[in-house]
């Protein structure tokens, strides 16, 4: 998508270097990170320079291609290096299904070749294909989801499942972009999404850059706006969807789904087929990452002189608990917008549509 | 309650000066504000130097006593000054029922006296009585609510309805303090309570000062902890309770009540009888204050040098909506802990218990 007159993807391969929009600096600075090795790429995923499940998948795929580029020529050292790199990339974030999926695809493509150079180029081709397919899937999600947004609608979203979270277009925001580009009038309420404020700093930024009307609200205010008639539709992304439709997404998604149900508002998940984990029967099988409490107790922002400063907002010595995701049970979800169609969140419909798509 | 070895109330009268714990500086600095005139007191209520419905009531009562101290001796100038001061104090915060109640009590006590000096001393006596009665009511709420907290329980609370929000003891936190002082083991999960972070900066601070085990969580995580069995009981305060039990409280309370209902967890409101507005039939009649979006888009905290710094966390030019309260419908509330007993949130029970208490 466009930033200051140029088209960008969130992450791409430039020779053997992975380049990525540094999302840890947004919305205050727009910088491109250069990740020279798979270790750098793993660090960028872990530190959320790259974030958002599909973008993590693409970055992981490129990182896995870097592993093959870096690996020694001789067997078995090569296989050992590949396995170590695979594990290193895999352990960066425990919840993102897209990451595991992309890593596996690129690893298998590389391991299928005996010649080291052919292994590296097969891995690169597979990583590039993953990224292109993700961008195409997101556009398709946008086209399929856009009719849900009627003229004049207000859409509430949580966290950032926009183009910054993907390779391009976004998942939850793709229908909004497609509807907006088709000339439909609409408005977005963006939950700020504590603790990391991705809604405040990324969703509000990218929507405004595209010219979509957006207002930031406290996560606490989502229920108020839904109950008082100010929301027509909720769309969020997903980090992993179990076989029965239970969906892990950014912490707080479950609360917003409860609010939507209480007010009779449709609640949609938008995610590519690669987000589904059909080996996971339901939400109880999805591990929930608990991150450092410091993400809550400190906040970074611009001071009056325009310097990026981190400030502590908690009392000295306070402790915080910080689960990064929650699971929204399938029964609270109206539908799941995928590139294969809008699916009802039932094991039957998911198996019918998704199983053929992801093999 | 105790701070660094001394006993404090949140607000008190010192001659003709109102003194108050400056809650805008907590948890980083502990300072006492000196409010020399009723205009200063009104400003302190508006700017949330004093905050929390009962503390606002007490501060308003003292401010109204200041109005009588300042008023010219002659009629009708005196009555005109009193009415102007009353309106000025009344317009500081539109939602707090306790404020209106305290202002009315002190105004009537003062206006009942013809002699100016007697009017001022009657107003002061009434304001002091209001503060003492609030402290006694809070202690009683603590005594009545403490049996709800069993040994080993985890209590979730939203915003700050502790002693800092009242004159002493608190409302939602009073049962916790009474149970803790009785030697019961318990733990508190404190929602950080965006946008103003009263849970992070006040609740966590005052509980830790008293030696109660407390962990801060993102507002978004409350549903996660409730759904995963980590919460036994929710207690929050209230800003206004309608005749049918619908309760206005800090934005986000409604979402937490929905979460509690979904997980079968008891959800209690703790509030003195003065919080009830029996003239308001239900929650639809409670006006909801919308505050500046800047409360969302900027955050104050300590930088690495220990300086209190305000930083902007939103993209340049972003707009934010900031409703400060929401209404939790009575059907989501298990009970209302008052100094007159624990009431079921029905019009009948409220009328029976509260109407005689508040005349």
């Amino acid at each position: 998508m466009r930033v200051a007159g140029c088209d960008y993807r969130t992450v791409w391969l430039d020779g053997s270097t992975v380049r990525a929009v540094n999302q840890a600096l947004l919305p205050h600075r727009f910088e491109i990170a250069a990740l020279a090795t798979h270790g750098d790429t793993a660090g960028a995923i872990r530190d959320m320079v790259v974030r958002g499940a599909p973008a993590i998948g693409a970055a992981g795929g490129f990182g896995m291609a870097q592993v093959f580029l870096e690996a020694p020529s001789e067997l078995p050292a090569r296989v050992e290096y590949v396995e170590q790199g695979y594990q290193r990339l895999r352990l960066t974030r425990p919840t993102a299904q897209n990451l595991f999926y992309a890593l596996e695809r690129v690893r298998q493509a590389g391991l299928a070749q005996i010649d080291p150079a052919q292994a590296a180029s097969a891995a690169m081709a597979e990583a590039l294909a993953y990224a292109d397919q993700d961008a195409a899937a997101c556009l398709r999600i946008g086209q399929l989801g856009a009719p849900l947004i009627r003229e004049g609608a207000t859409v509430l979203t949580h966290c950032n499942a926009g183009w910054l979270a993907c390779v391009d277009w976004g998942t939850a925001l793709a229908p909004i972009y497609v509807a907006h580009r088709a000339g439909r009038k609409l408005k977005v309420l963006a939950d700020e999404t504590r603790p990391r404020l991705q809604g405040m700093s990324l969703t509000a930024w990218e929507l405004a850059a595209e010219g979509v009307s957006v207002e930031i609200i406290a996560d606490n205010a989502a229920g108020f706006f839904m109950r008082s008639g100010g929301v027509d539709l909720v769309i969020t992304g997903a980090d992993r969807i179990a076989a029965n439709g239970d969906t892990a997404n950014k912490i707080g998604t479950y609360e917003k789904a409860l609010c939507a149900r209480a007010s009779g508002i449709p609640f949609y998940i938008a995610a590519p087929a690669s987000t589904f984990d059909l080996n996971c029967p339901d939400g109880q099988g999805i591990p929930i990452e608990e991150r450092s409490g410091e993400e809550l107790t400190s906040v970074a922002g611009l001071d009056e002189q325009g310097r990026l400063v981190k400030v502590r907002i908690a009392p000295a010595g306070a402790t915080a608990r910080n689960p990064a995701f929650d699971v929204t049970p399938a029964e609270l979800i109206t539908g799941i917008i995928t590139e294969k169609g809008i699916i009802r969140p039932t094991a039957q419909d998911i198996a019918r549509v998704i199983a053929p798509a992801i093999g």
Side-chain angles (χ1 to χ4, degrees), chain A:
Chain A
M1 307 288 276
R2 291 187 79 74
V3 179
C6 295
D7 276 317
Y8 287 92
R9 285 184 167 187
T10 50
V11 58
W12 66 97
L13 201 55
D14 178 7
S16 64
T17 296
V18 176
R19 296 196 185 273
V21 175
N22 186 338
Q23 302 195 36
L25 302 179
L26 285 175
H28 306 300
R29 286 184 214 153
F30 181 73
E31 283 181 16
I32 306 300
L35 311 166
T37 68
H38 86 276
D40 295 340
T41 303
I45 296 171
R46 188 192 58 232
D47 299 339
M48 299 176 82
V49 166
V50 180
R51 31 68 55 200
I56 288 172
F62 290 134
M64 197 65 221
Q66 287 177 308
V67 171
F68 282 95
L69 287 166
E70 298 159 10
S73 304
E74 297 75 30
L75 293 168
R78 189 164 106 221
V79 172
E80 197 179 314
Y81 188 89
V82 165
E83 290 309 308
Q84 284 176 354
Y86 172 76
Q87 289 302 333
R88 182 172 184 177
L89 287 159
R90 200 182 150 88
L91 292 173
T92 50
R93 298 290 299 277
T95 308
Q97 177 60 16
N98 305 54
L99 173 63
F100 308 154
Y101 174 74
L103 288 176
E104 196 57 40
R105 268 181 60 170
V106 177
R107 172 169 163 267
Q108 288 184 5
L111 288 177
Q113 305 295 327
I114 294 173
D115 177 72
Q118 284 183 341
S121 63
M124 281 178 72
E126 193 65 26
L128 289 165
Y130 176 89
D132 285 344
Q133 286 162 11
D134 185 72
C138 285
L139 176 56
R140 188 76 190 128
I141 287 169
Q143 291 164 336
L144 290 169
L148 298 171
I149 304 171
R150 58 165 181 66
E151 176 75 16
T154 297
V155 185
L156 185 139
T157 190
H158 190 68
C159 198
N160 177 258
W163 77 267
L164 288 170
C166 301
V167 176
D168 213 345
W169 288 99
T171 54
L173 300 194
I176 292 166
Y177 286 130
V178 171
H180 175 74
R181 289 195 178 182
R184 221 164 302 156
K185 280 212 184 73
L186 59 90
K187 196 179 82 177
V188 176
L189 287 182
D191 288 352
E192 62 170 340
T193 318
R194 285 282 289 157
R196 293 183 67 95
L197 294 164
Q198 294 96 332
M200 167 93 76
S201 56
L202 303 176
T203 297
W205 182 84
E206 64 162 271
L207 287 169
E210 187 76 15
V212 177
S213 171
V214 55
E215 291 176 322
I216 301 163
I217 62 171
D219 303 302
N220 280 325
F224 171 83
F225 282 107
M226 287 194 242
R227 189 158 187 263
S228 55
V231 177
D232 297 291
L233 184 69
V234 181
I235 313 179
T236 78
D239 286 80
R240 193 184 319 192
I241 305 174
N244 73 337
D246 288 355
T247 296
N249 190 47
K250 183 59 53 197
I251 189 76
T253 303
Y254 163 60
E255 296 194 9
K256 309 322 155 199
L258 280 178
C259 294
R261 172 57 51 93
S263 293
I265 294 167
F267 180 91
Y268 285 93
I269 296 290
S274 59
T275 314
F276 287 81
D277 181 2
L278 301 186
N279 295 319
C280 183
D282 59 37
Q284 297 218 321
I286 304 177
I288 298 297
E289 177 184 6
E290 183 155 348
R291 297 177 60 86
S292 162
E294 217 247 328
E295 290 187 350
L296 256 102
T297 56
S298 289
V299 171
L302 290 190
D303 72 5
E304 287 187 351
Q305 285 76 44
R307 291 173 301 213
L308 195 59
V309 178
K310 196 179 211 182
V311 297
R312 181 165 58 75
I313 53 177
T319 60
R321 296 285 305 277
N322 184 21
F325 302 92
D326 59 24
V327 173
T328 298
E331 68 255 29
L332 296 177
I333 298 168
T334 307
I336 305 174
I337 310 168
T338 77
E339 74 277 26
K340 304 296 176 191
I342 302 178
I343 312 174
R344 284 184 309 146
T346 65
Q348 293 83 345
D349 282 30
I350 289 169
R352 183 173 52 77
V353 178
I354 298 300
I358 65 177

